[in-house]
């Protein structure tokens, strides 16, 4: 049966087998098993391979990122800028075909995937973004945002908690343009899914509020296509299409775990090709396949052109909306930045928790600075994280235009959904929880960093000053863990002005920003200011070269300044440096950094209510620190501060200790 | 209706309200709403308040840890060693009544909880441990291990991915002695659950394979009791009892989010007490209540005595089994430790990946050293993590006696379940995944650390040498993050002997141990040895005082030794220190640490394929490092090592750079 469909499917299968064999590394099983599914899906998708970033395109997330050769084969065949040469370089340095899909490496890849479960949660975020944009911008006859978001999941994705959280969220939000496809091959690395995954996935997803469709034979392209049509026709809720496939279908390793993550071997590949009547050389795409997709390209180009024409009409019909939409997609403007800088001057006249300040600023960004493409919320801690933007209306079915999101108690899906929102484009996503629960969302924050997505992580209750809730709620190592993560900026502002700086930095950044905020009230300082944007700066200096330097962040600036004054009374001249963001300080010039922290000044003390680990870099082996390397205990914060040594007196003692070494 | 049941329930409610009001901090809503449920459940439980650690007791996990006053009220009333004075000290420093339950603080608390979802997953682990122990030790007429595990969850727990993963696992394993109770009050911090949690929980849990029971009225103690009986009668599968309650029932704040996490206020409490006809002073437990529980204590004492008698008979009938059971609960013996030390001598005669070595050692611990209470597995990466203990048989319904666990692709539930296994007692739990996915399980590892549970975390593929799988699979910051976590020992062994040391340390520890293992082959060194148990030690020294020191871990010891030899040829005398475990090195005497890393030797280089952050402590500001602070890329490991600067030449260059500063 050498029809074109079979030819395309077999091309995917042979390219997959050949590339993985050549690389001596990769995951052939699912890519081969889901080849018909991938073929059928890409035919259904509204995409333009010649314009891969077309905003109106359907999105596709390969949540089972290890099946990357399925995606690369499809991208090549469909006509994306991904050559056979690229495919021959699968998994090699600097190739466009890395082991797992990465957005910046390959045109047509909509999300970097690999860590299971998260791709699905990102797709949920994309569908949220589409619904939000549609509700605000679509008008009769002008479907500005009406794309579908497709996501392909495997058994592994189905088992991950991230996917469960995201599915529950998607069901509650009734994201009807989300279509998840579950490649159910029932084989994982340790064996058949019977060994540990016996649940009724259909029933589970129905319980979440999904429409669930079943395709009994994963080789049946027509049935898969019909299921996609059925899913689209279900306009009330998100859809899951369960496609029953066989891992490494058509090979001797079919239905075995060994097909999952290692090359099939020459013999197995030869057998597969023989059985399918494939007589081409390795890495061959038959000319009929190219011709097939070239024809399809005409339709796709026409679709893209029609969308562009529609947008031209939209510009005429709704010039203001159009301008607003363009502004969303262009990112923050100079005018907006200017308005943000103006916020520096509105210092409150009383002590205030930086979480409350953060809430005020978020509201001002949205309501006063014109950054009305903020879209985010908290994992059920909005009133506590102070992340609700007024008017306090929430994104929901029937209210998709609203900017606040109820993420529910689902930290990991929340952060992954924020990645999806940013990937969709046009919005600034933010999410929030207590800082100690950054642990729950870390896998998604890591993907924000890897993809360079400026998601804002609003993490309140940033130290043991949480108090009574006790050690499970006291962050200790979280600052260290977040700072150790590449490509993340971690801000821990001390007061209002530094919080403004954190937000300006976050909104103008090309990477995620963590903003660590206090539960408790903090004073407003005269000595702080815009230099916080440099990451670290002098907030108290001495006339002569300082005898020593105290470096502090956030809530600990207060006792540090107090300690400096106490030392001054003893004739010791101490500079105080506020360091709200180490990563941004490290980006400053050598001159600036030397000016703030001169090498010659050896006596140094770091003060922060978190792990000592990040601070050795700045105080050296001989410096001392007022930090905390043990778990907290349940008690009022005011009792804990002296208990844990966070007093001006203790900072003075630490300084004296450091001075002894020099 | 002043019957005893009402009196008890009202005692819980008033103690809760009073304690939280006095502390000016706490979560009254759920504790008040689920008071009848808690009352009914504790009456059903096989416990002995006078012997809280009785191994035969039913377990209770308050997964919704914020409802701690429910538990403390019940513990006090039931006669545990928790006084009214303790309850008056709710949330105060050093009290037995911390904000969230902590095992080491309060008799009768079976698990430290607070981070949502994890309590349920720990309960699943406890039920797994019970099933395992029962399958091995129970005999006709001798139900050595036949307790139930009860867990109380709220809406928040239900939304967390950890709970979804654990429920799917429990269903697959058919853990019929697990009875979860869902306090469905439909109120979370941001509002009614309608806003984001609309799923059909009953259907979802049926999909997992749970028997689900419904109690329409959470005030109906008889109905709750009957549901517990029904759940017990369902001997084929785990149970979920959905109890429909009202947060802060009987107060003016009933059914409102404000009842969740703040004191009710004097007025609201007065109204509640008035409405229930409560005329006692604050913090009063009526004498009828005490009398009620004193009577119950007689039954409980008799139950405990009967169990003890049964065990005495068991000892006679099955002396070998009894001895083995006792050995399990006593922990590793001197004889076992001796056998483990003997492993040091069986060095393989060829290079080998430390993950493979780890697999060999795990098998030897189980099969040769007599540590047959190892119980663990991997999150579907067993063949890759090398964690399968022979005979390669797996824990499952009908095979609960088997020692290997298929955790499925559920890292967080896996680690939390291991906590549950350790809390149950008598076993050593281990779990495994790729090191980069330590991020997924970190919230549970943190609880291992907080509770001091020596769970073993076998994390393989411990650097960018994973290679082709790319940046989503390359750990970078994970070592820093794990080391920053209090009360965790992080081992990164360089070869066979150091891996033996890691396991000896892990099995004899009172805290969790992470064992970071290589994917790739590593050489066996003559210079390594038992001193690895000191955390760091000299593996290459110089005749005179060294000019400098190179400190390395794991796979980087090889290039470090090579670099030292190259430097030696240039007349530079370099000591090499292998530092498999920083935390244990820090526990050594000042003298030992000074001998290994003399202060006088300032020229220092650290070499590790991970973040630089942990190393400033040892090399100081002026030292240099061969570390990696950026994400990896997809390419063969052999290509990446020089690309990322991990060669002996680069270590030499780093040394020269460090030497320049001195």
């Amino acid at each position: 049966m050498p029809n074109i469909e079979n030819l395309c499917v077999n091309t995917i299968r042979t390219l997959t087998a050949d590339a993985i064999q050549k690389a001596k590394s990769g995951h052939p099983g699912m890519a081969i098993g889901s080849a018909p599914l991938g073929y059928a899906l890409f035919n259904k998708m509204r995409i333009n391979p010649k314009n891969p970033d077309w905003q109106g395109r359907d999105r596709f997330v390969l949540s089972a990122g290890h099946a990357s050769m399925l995606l690369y084969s499809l991208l090549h065949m469909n006509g994306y800028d991904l050559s056979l040469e690229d495919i021959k370089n699968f998994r090699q340095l600097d190739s466009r075909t890395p082991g797992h899909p990465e957005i910046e490496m390959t045109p047509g890849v909509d999300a970097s995937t690999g860590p299971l479960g998260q791709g699905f949660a990102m797709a949920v975020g994309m569908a949220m973004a589409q619904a939000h944009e549609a509700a605000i911008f679509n008008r009769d006859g002008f479907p500005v945002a009406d794309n579908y978001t497709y996501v392909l999941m495997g058994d592994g994705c189905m088992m991950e908690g991230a996917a469960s959280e995201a599915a529950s969220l998607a069901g509650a939000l009734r994201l009807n343009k989300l279509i998840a496809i579950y490649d159910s091959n029932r084989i994982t690395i340790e064996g058949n899914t019977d060994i540990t995954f016996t649940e009724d996935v259909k029933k589970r997803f129905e319980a979440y509020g999904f429409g669930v469709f079943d395709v009994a034979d994963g080789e049946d392209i027509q049935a898969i296509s019909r299921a996609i049509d059925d899913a689209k026709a279900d306009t009330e809720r998100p859809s899951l299409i369960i496609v029953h496939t066989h891992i490494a279908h058509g090979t001797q390793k079919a239905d075995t775990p060994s097909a999952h993550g290692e090359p099939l071997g020459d013999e197995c590949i030869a057998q597969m090709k023989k059985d399918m009547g494939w007589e081409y050389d390795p890495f061959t795409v038959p000319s009929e396949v190219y011709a097939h997709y070239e024809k399809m390209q005409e339709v796709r180009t026409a679709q893209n052109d029609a969308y562009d024409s529609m947008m031209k009409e939209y510009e005429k019909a709704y010039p203001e909306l159009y301008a607003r939409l363009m502004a969303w997609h262009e990112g923050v403007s100079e005018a907006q930045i200017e308005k943000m800088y103006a916020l520096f001057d509105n210092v409150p006249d009383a002590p205030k928790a930086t979480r409350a300040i953060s809430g005020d600023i978020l509201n001002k960004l949205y309501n006063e600075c014109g950054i009305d493409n903020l879209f985010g919320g908290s994992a059920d801690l909005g009133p506590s994280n102070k992340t609700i933007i007024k008017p306090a209306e929430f994104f929901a079915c029937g209210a998709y235009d609203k900017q606040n999101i109820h993420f529910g108690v689902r930290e990991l899906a929340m952060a992954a959904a924020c990645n999806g929102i940013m990937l969709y484009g046009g919005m600034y996503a933010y999410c929030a929880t207590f800082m100690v629960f950054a642990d729950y969302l870390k896998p998604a924050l890591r993907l924000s960093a890897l993809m360079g997505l400026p998601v804002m992580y609003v993490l309140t209750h940033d130290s043991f000053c949480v108090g009574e809730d006790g050690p499970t709620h006291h962050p200790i190592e979280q600052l260290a863990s977040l700072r150790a993560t590449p490509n993340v900026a971690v801000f821990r502002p001390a007061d209002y002005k530094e919080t403004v700086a954190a937000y300006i930095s976050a909104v103008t950044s090309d990477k995620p920003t963590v903003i660590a905020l206090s539960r408790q009230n903090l004073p407003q300082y005269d000595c702080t200011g815009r230099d916080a944007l440099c990451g670290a700066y002098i907030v108290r200096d001495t006339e002569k070269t300082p005898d020593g330097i105290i470096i502090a962040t956030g809530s600990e600036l207060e006792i540090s300044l107090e300690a400096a004054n106490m030392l001054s009374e003893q004739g010791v001249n101490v500079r105080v440096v506020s360091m709200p963001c180490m990563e941004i300080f490290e980006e400053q010039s050598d001159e600036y950094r030397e000016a703030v922290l001169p090498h010659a000044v050896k006596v140094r003390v770091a003060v922060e209510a978190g792990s000592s680990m990040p601070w050795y870099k700045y105080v050296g082996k001989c410096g001392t620190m007022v930090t905390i390397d043990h778990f907290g205990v349940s008690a009022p914060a005011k009792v804990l501060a002296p208990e844990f040594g966070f007093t001006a007196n203790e900072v003075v003692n630490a300084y004296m200790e450091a001075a002894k070494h020099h």
Side-chain angles (χ1 to χ4, degrees), chain A residues 47 76 222 438:
Chain A
I47 48 176
H76 172 70
Q222 305 316 319

Side-chain angles (χ1 to χ4, degrees), chain A residues 440-610:
Chain A
Y440 276 92
L441 59 73
K442 169 75 196 328
L445 183 144
R446 191 173 209 260
L447 277 182
S448 308
L450 182 62
M451 292 189 278
L453 302 176
V455 175
M456 290 184 276
Y457 289 87
V458 181
L459 303 178
T460 71
H461 296 62
D462 72 346
S463 75
F464 65 80
C465 291
V466 166
E468 292 91 340
D469 276 337
T472 56
H473 285 56
H474 292 179
I476 300 291
E477 73 277 22
Q478 280 68 24
L479 283 168
S481 172
L482 294 164
R483 287 179 182 140
T485 308
N487 213 35
V488 178
V490 180
F491 259 94
R492 189 166 184 257
D495 68 354
Y496 173 83
K497 280 171 281 179
E498 292 195 358
T499 312
V500 170
Y503 273 98
I504 291 175
S505 176
V507 171
T508 57
S509 179
D510 59 0
K511 58 186 179 190
T513 299
V514 169
I515 308 182
L517 299 158
S518 76
R519 177 195 186 210
Q520 73 277 24
N521 281 345
L522 302 181
Q524 307 305 331
Y525 303 99
D526 289 332
C527 58
T528 58
R530 298 178 183 212
D531 287 349
L533 283 163
C534 298
Y537 61 115
I538 302 164
V539 292
R540 179 193 193 279
D541 213 359
T542 54
E543 277 178 45
K544 297 175 295 182
T545 306
D547 300 321
I549 304 176
I550 300 175
I551 316 171
T553 78
S555 46
E556 284 67 66
L557 186 58
E558 186 173 10
I559 54 172
S560 301
L561 287 167
E562 202 181 323
N565 290 339
M566 288 161 71
L567 286 161
S568 170
E569 283 166 23
Q570 300 172 37
V572 184
N573 298 314
V574 177
R575 169 181 292 182
V576 178
V577 168
S578 178
M579 189 180 270
C581 184
M582 289 180 178
E583 297 77 17
I584 289 179
F585 178 63
E586 290 300 323
E587 291 171 4
Q588 306 304 313
S589 67
D590 288 352
E591 293 69 27
Y592 181 81
R593 286 184 288 127
E594 173 64 19
V596 175
L597 297 177
H599 272 87
V601 184
K602 302 282 186 200
V603 181
R604 296 183 179 192
V605 177
V607 189
E608 183 176 72

Side-chain angles (χ1 to χ4, degrees), chain A residues 12-13 29-39 67 70 152 183 218 245-246:
Chain A
I12 297 170
R13 287 175 165 157
M30 176 174 167
I32 287 174
S34 62
L37 189 174
Y39 170 75
L70 170 70
L152 180 54
D183 173 71
T245 63
H246 296 272

